[in-house]
Amino acid sequence: MSKDTSADKSTGVEIKFSDLALDKALLKILDEVGYEKPSPIQAQTIPLLLEGRDIIGQAQTGTGKTAAFALPLINNLDLKQKDPQLLVLAPTRELAIQVAEAFQKYATYMKGFHVLPVYGGADYSGQIRALKRGVHVVVGTPGRVMDHIRKGTLKLGNLKALVLDEADEMLRMGFIDDVEWILEQTPDDRQIALFSATMPTQIRRIATKYLNEPEQITIKVKTATAETIRQRFWPVSGLHKLDALTRILEAEEFDGMIIFVRTKNSTVELADKLAARGYAAAALNGDIAQNQRERTIKNLKSGKVDIIVATDVAARGLDVERISHVVNYDVPHDTESYIHRIGRTGRAGREGDAILFVAPREKRMLNSIERATRKSIERMELPSTEVINDKRIDKFKQRITDTLANEDLALFSQLVEQYEQEHNVPSIEIAAALAQLLQGDIPLLLQNKPQRKSRDDWDREDRGRRDRPARDRSERSERERPPRRERQQRDTALDEGLDRYRIEVGHDHQVKPGNIVGAIANEADIESKYIGRISIYDDHSTVDLPEGMPKELLYTLKKVWVSGQQLKISLDDKGKKSKSEKPQSSDESSSDKRKPGKHHPVISRDKKKGQSSSDDKKGKLSLKKRVRKK
Ligand code: ADP
Ligand code: MG
C-alpha cells in the first residue's frame, strides 16, 4: 500500500481523505472541520498506520502530523475495550493538551470514545478517576506517564500503539531515558509511530532498537522564491487578524490580492466579512463547483473581484497577472506551501508583495520558512491610525469631488437652499448633517490607536517553548504546583449591560479560563477585556458577555471547539437571577480582571457597505442599534 501512495505521488494524482479507507465517522468530521485534502505527511502516513506498520515521520511543524497519526489510530481502536489502547507521548503539557483536543475533535462521531491528557501540574485524582472509568487514548508528558505506570494507575497490558510526538524535542528536554523506560513497559507487539522534525543519533538509536521494520517518511522542502517578491511578516498580537487585515487593505496599494486561509469554511467566512466591509472579495475552495471557480477567477482577472480568499488546494497554480499581493492570513502547513502560495504573485519577473501573519506560537514556522527560502522576512508595522484616517479623509473628499463633477445636483441644491431658508441653518451645517446621514453608524475615522502589544511582548511569548522544559522537568522531580488554585468563591451577580451564557465545557474537560477567553476573543472578534466573568463548573461553565450579541455571532460560537468540546453556547436561563449555584472553583484570573469595563464590545460584524474596523470607537456603541436593525 505504501508503494501505491508513492506511485500516486509521483504521478501527481491527488489523494483525497475518502481514498484512505478511513471510517465514515472520521470522514464526516474532516469534512466538517473543513480539511480539504490530506497534507503530504498525512497522505503517506495514514495508509501505513492503518495497516499496522511502524513508521518514522520526519517533517516540520505545521505539516499536520497530529491528524497523520490520530486518524488511522482512532480508526483502528476497539471502542468496546476500555483499557488504554493508544499512548501518545509529547514533550510539553501544552502539546499534550493540544493533541488530546485534536483526538477529541477527530473522534466527534466515534461513539463512546475517550481520550485523557495526563501531565504534571494537574492533580492526580481526576486523572486516576478517568483512567478507572476507562479511556481508549492517553496523551501525556513522559514524567507523568511514568508516575502513573509506577503507581499502577496506567496499565499498558492491552496497548496496541504508541506515538512519540516531537521526539527530538523530548530528547532536547532530557526526557529520552524516560521515554525509553516507558517503551520497555509496553507489549512487544505494539505498533510505534515516531515523529520528529530532525533525526539526531539518539532518536535513530531508539528507532532502530524499538521499531519493527519501520517505513521512513520524510517531507522535503522546496526552496525557491522569486527575487522580485517583497516578503514581510506581521507579528500577530493585540489587534485581531481581521482588523490588521483591514488596515493593510486600506493602506497598501494593491491591485489583485489573494488571501490564504487553512480551511474551506474560513474562505467563505473571511470573504463575507470583507464583502461586508465594502471589498470586492470572493471565496475559492475545493467545494465550490468547477464552473463557479472558473467564474471567480475570470472575475479576478477582469477586475470585478479584487480579493480572493482561498485554500492552498483551490489556488494551486493560479496564474493571474493582476495579483500584486499574497496575504498568508493563516500560516501555511509547511515551507513548501508557503513557496507555492507566494508564487501566485511576482510572476514572470513582475514585482509582488507577500505578507505573513505569525502568532507567537507559529514563530518556529517563520524561522523554518526563512531557513528554507534562505531569505529573511522583514517585520512590518501596521499602518498607524493617522495614516488610515488620512486615507479615509482623502477618499471622502474625492467622493465629493466626483459627485460634483458627475452628477446632476439641481434638485438637491434646490432642497438645500429651501432648508436653509426655512430653518435658518447655514448650508455648511446642512452639508455636515448630510455627510453624517451618508456615513451612517460607521464612523469615518478610526479613533483608537492600534492595540498592539509591544514588540517585547511578541518576542517574549516566543520564548514559551524554551521556558517549558523547566516546568516539565519539575514535573519529573515531583515538584508539583499546588493541585489547584485556591478555591475562592465568587459573587456570581451579573453586571449591568451583560448577559450570562452557558457553554458546554467545564472542569471535566480540563478547561482553563484562558482557553475560553481566547476562543471567544478569536472567534467572535470580541476584545478579551469585554468578556466578563467566567465560572467553571464540572461539566459546563458560564461566561458573561455584553448584551445584544448578534445572532450569527452566537451561531459561530456554538460551533467553536475548546478543550475538545463544542461550546454550544446558549443563554443561561438562570441568567440574571442565578446566584444560588456557586462554581466549585474560580478561574485563575482575578475576578476584577475579568470584569469588563463600561463599554460594549467591539464587534466587527457589519453587513453594511463601508469599511469599519472593530477598533472604531463609535462602532462599539452602535452595536445594539445594528443588532436591532437586522
Ligand atoms: P504538526 O504537528 O505537524 O506541527 P498539526 O498536526 O498541529 O501540525 O497541524 C497544524 C494545523 O493544521 C492544525 O491547526 C490542524 O488543524 C491543521 N490541519 C491538519 N491537517 C490539515 C488538513 N489536511 N487540511 C487543513 N488543515 C489541516
Ligand atoms: Mg505536532
Side-chain angles (χ1 to χ4, degrees):
M1 191 114 156
S2 65
K3 303 260 157 48
D4 293 345
T5 316
S6 46
D8 279 355
K9 231 183 116 71
S10 60
T11 51
V13 174
E14 282 286 329
I15 296 166
K16 299 195 284 298
F17 277 114
S18 52
D19 297 333
L20 292 177
L22 289 167
D23 194 287
K24 278 211 269 320
L26 294 169
L27 295 177
K28 181 167 175 206
I29 188 71
L30 288 173
D31 192 49
E32 269 178 38
V33 296
Y35 290 1
E36 208 159 35
K37 58 152 214 162
S39 70
I41 185 107
Q42 290 163 1
Q44 295 188 59
T45 307
I46 292 172
L48 293 166
L49 289 180
L50 280 174
E51 269 181 44
R53 293 282 308 273
D54 284 4
I55 63 127
I56 301 171
Q58 191 179 353
Q60 274 149 350
T61 326
T63 46
K65 292 189 285 292
T66 317
F69 61 78
L71 295 171
L73 296 175
I74 292 174
N75 192 96
N76 288 356
L77 289 173
D78 172 3
L79 293 178
K80 287 190 289 294
Q81 198 206 269
K82 287 285 165 75
D83 285 345
Q85 293 167 57
L86 170 60
L87 173 64
V88 181
L89 294 179
T92 65
R93 55 186 275 148
E94 287 82 0
L95 282 169
I97 292 169
Q98 244 179 56
V99 169
E101 283 176 0
F103 267 91
Q104 191 75 54
K105 177 168 73 184
Y106 298 137
T108 301
Y109 297 109
M110 307 294 283
K111 259 188 101 190
F113 171 86
H114 288 292
V115 56
L116 178 72
V118 302
Y119 45 80
D123 65 22
Y124 280 92
S125 57
Q127 297 176 357
I128 291 172
R129 244 182 293 129
L131 285 167
K132 276 211 180 106
R133 256 177 302 182
V135 295
H136 304 106
V137 180
V138 173
V139 186
T141 48
R144 184 54 75 99
V145 167
M146 263 173 95
D147 288 343
H148 276 293
I149 297 175
R150 283 213 196 92
K151 280 185 200 294
T153 43
L154 174 59
K155 299 196 181 68
L156 298 180
N158 281 323
L159 197 78
K160 284 193 196 154
L162 179 79
V163 176
L164 306 178
D165 196 13
E166 305 222 14
D168 51 350
E169 199 66 15
M170 292 200 273
L171 168 73
R172 211 173 57 78
M173 290 169 56
F175 291 148
I176 211 66
D177 295 341
D178 299 357
V179 169
E180 205 163 344
W181 185 87
I182 294 167
L183 275 164
E184 298 282 358
Q185 314 304 311
T186 58
D188 285 344
D189 59 350
R190 78 274 174 271
Q191 180 181 11
I192 300 182
L194 183 157
F195 290 92
S196 205
T198 56
M199 280 296 156
T201 45
Q202 290 102 311
I203 301 293
R204 280 243 168 271
R205 185 184 59 78
I206 294 249
T208 321
K209 187 161 168 200
Y210 295 95
L211 273 62
N212 176 23
E213 294 177 26
E215 183 92 5
Q216 160 114 22
I217 292 148
T218 309
I219 302 301
K220 288 206 199 69
V221 181
K222 280 200 200 119
T223 69
T225 52
E227 295 297 331
T228 52
I229 301 174
R230 176 183 182 204
Q231 300 180 52
R232 286 171 291 170
F233 79 92
W234 176 63
V236 178
S237 65
L239 265 196
H240 286 299
K241 286 208 273 189
L242 182 60
D243 290 326
L245 178 63
T246 313
R247 282 185 185 231
I248 289 169
L249 290 176
E250 286 196 54
E252 289 277 312
E253 299 287 339
F254 71 92
D255 191 4
M257 176 179 292
I258 181 155
I259 301 175
F260 282 97
V261 293
R262 274 233 146 117
T263 65
K264 293 180 273 190
N265 301 350
S266 339
T267 61
V268 178
E269 268 163 38
L270 187 57
D272 282 352
K273 284 179 185 159
L274 294 176
R277 284 166 161 70
Y279 293 101
L284 197 69
N285 68 52
D287 270 2
I288 297 172
Q290 180 63 27
N291 55 356
Q292 174 64 40
R293 275 191 305 201
E294 281 165 16
R295 208 171 321 134
T296 302
I297 291 164
K298 226 163 91 196
N299 287 344
L300 177 67
K301 283 185 180 152
S302 71
K304 265 197 207 143
V305 162
D306 295 323
I307 303 174
I308 282 189
V309 187
T311 53
D312 291 276
V313 183
R316 167 130 4 111
L318 196 73
D319 191 6
V320 178
E321 241 177 71
R322 266 189 84 209
I323 299 175
S324 62
H325 281 68
V326 171
V327 174
N328 294 274
Y329 192 81
D330 293 335
V331 290
H333 286 306
D334 45 37
T335 54
E336 197 171 342
S337 43
Y338 176 81
I339 293 160
H340 280 302
R341 283 176 173 193
I342 75 165
R344 297 311 104 217
T345 183
R347 300 189 73 77
R350 271 184 292 274
E351 306 211 320
D353 278 274
I355 296 171
L356 174 67
F357 284 9
V358 187
R361 67 186 159 74
E362 293 160 345
K363 226 186 148 184
R364 281 227 294 192
M365 193 46 152
L366 174 66
N367 297 337
S368 307
I369 291 172
E370 288 187 320
R371 241 179 293 126
T373 58
R374 291 187 202 92
K375 284 201 185 86
S376 79
I377 302 181
E378 66 185 284
R379 184 176 190 136
M380 79 184 281
E381 295 293 338
L382 281 185
S384 69
T385 304
E386 290 72 43
V387 169
I388 300 282
N389 283 346
D390 284 350
K391 294 243 177 202
R392 289 191 183 180
I393 289 168
D394 283 349
K395 219 165 138 187
F396 178 76
K397 290 181 181 164
Q398 190 59 47
R399 286 176 78 185
I400 300 177
T401 309
D402 293 348
T403 310
L404 285 172
N406 304 325
E407 304 290 336
D408 177 4
L409 301 173
L411 173 66
F412 285 119
S413 301
Q414 213 184 335
L415 288 178
V416 169
E417 201 174 2
Q418 260 179 30
Y419 190 97
E420 194 174 9
Q421 284 163 6
E422 286 166 12
H423 293 83
N424 195 23
V425 171
S427 47
I428 185 166
E429 282 178 29
I430 302 173
L434 292 173
Q436 178 59 53
L437 255 181
L438 175 73
Q439 188 67 30
D441 285 344
I442 306 139
L444 177 66
L445 301 182
L446 287 178
Q447 307 236 342
N448 292 354
K449 294 257 178 289
Q451 297 130 326
R452 250 180 319 102
K453 295 188 205 164
S454 67
R455 277 168 171 241
D456 289 355
D457 275 348
W458 193 81
D459 291 329
R460 214 179 356 256
E461 280 176 71
D462 162 55
R463 288 210 310 267
R465 268 197 100 78
R466 252 166 284 145
D467 290 345
R468 276 177 224 150
R471 201 203 260 172
D472 255 59
R473 271 177 190 289
S474 73
E475 158 200 331
R476 297 201 312 151
S477 54
E478 283 299 296
R479 257 182 285 126
E480 306 277 14
R481 284 192 295 160
R484 214 173 247 166
R485 288 292 168 95
E486 252 195 61
R487 301 181 169 206
Q488 42 168 223
Q489 291 295 350
R490 170 159 19 93
D491 175 19
T492 57
L494 192 56
D495 281 314
E496 217 186 310
L498 297 176
D499 282 332
R500 181 154 299 159
Y501 289 89
R502 178 189 163 104
I503 49 181
E504 305 301 326
V505 58
H507 286 310
D508 287 354
H509 318 106
Q510 276 91 27
V511 76
K512 292 277 170 298
N515 308 139
I516 296 172
V517 174
I520 294 180
N522 288 337
E523 300 299 326
D525 274 346
I526 299 179
E527 277 181 62
S528 55
K529 66 178 169 202
Y530 298 112
I531 300 173
R533 284 202 186 88
I534 292 175
S535 306
I536 301 185
Y537 302 88
D538 275 350
D539 63 344
H540 75 282
S541 307
T542 62
V543 51
D544 295 351
L545 295 175
E547 281 175 356
M549 292 284 287
K551 254 210 203 102
E552 69 266 32
L553 218 149
L554 288 172
Y555 186 72
T556 312
L557 281 179
K558 274 188 202 305
K559 293 185 290 187
V560 168
W561 294 89
V562 176
S563 301
Q565 305 296 308
Q566 277 190 311
L567 289 185
K568 304 203 177 119
I569 192 165
S570 60
L571 256 183
D572 186 24
D573 36 358
K574 285 172 226 112
K576 301 190 188 220
K577 285 143 271 152
S578 154
K579 280 189 193 169
S580 50
E581 199 186 356
K582 288 264 166 91
Q584 287 162 356
S585 86
S586 75
D587 62 34
E588 304 212 22
S589 57
S590 72
S591 58
D592 51 10
K593 209 164 131 205
R594 287 261 58 82
K595 216 168 170 174
K598 289 255 176 293
H599 302 289
H600 279 281
V602 184
I603 292 186
S604 41
R605 288 291 142 140
D606 237 307
K607 288 285 176 240
K608 289 220 177 139
K609 282 265 163 183
Q611 295 145 7
S612 103
S613 159
S614 70
D615 45 13
D616 289 358
K617 198 172 166 202
K618 217 182 139 201
K620 62 189 171 198
L621 296 174
S622 56
L623 164 71
K624 270 201 219 162
K625 238 194 267 170
R626 274 183 274 147
V627 172
R628 230 180 287 128
K629 275 188 193 147
K630 272 182 226 158

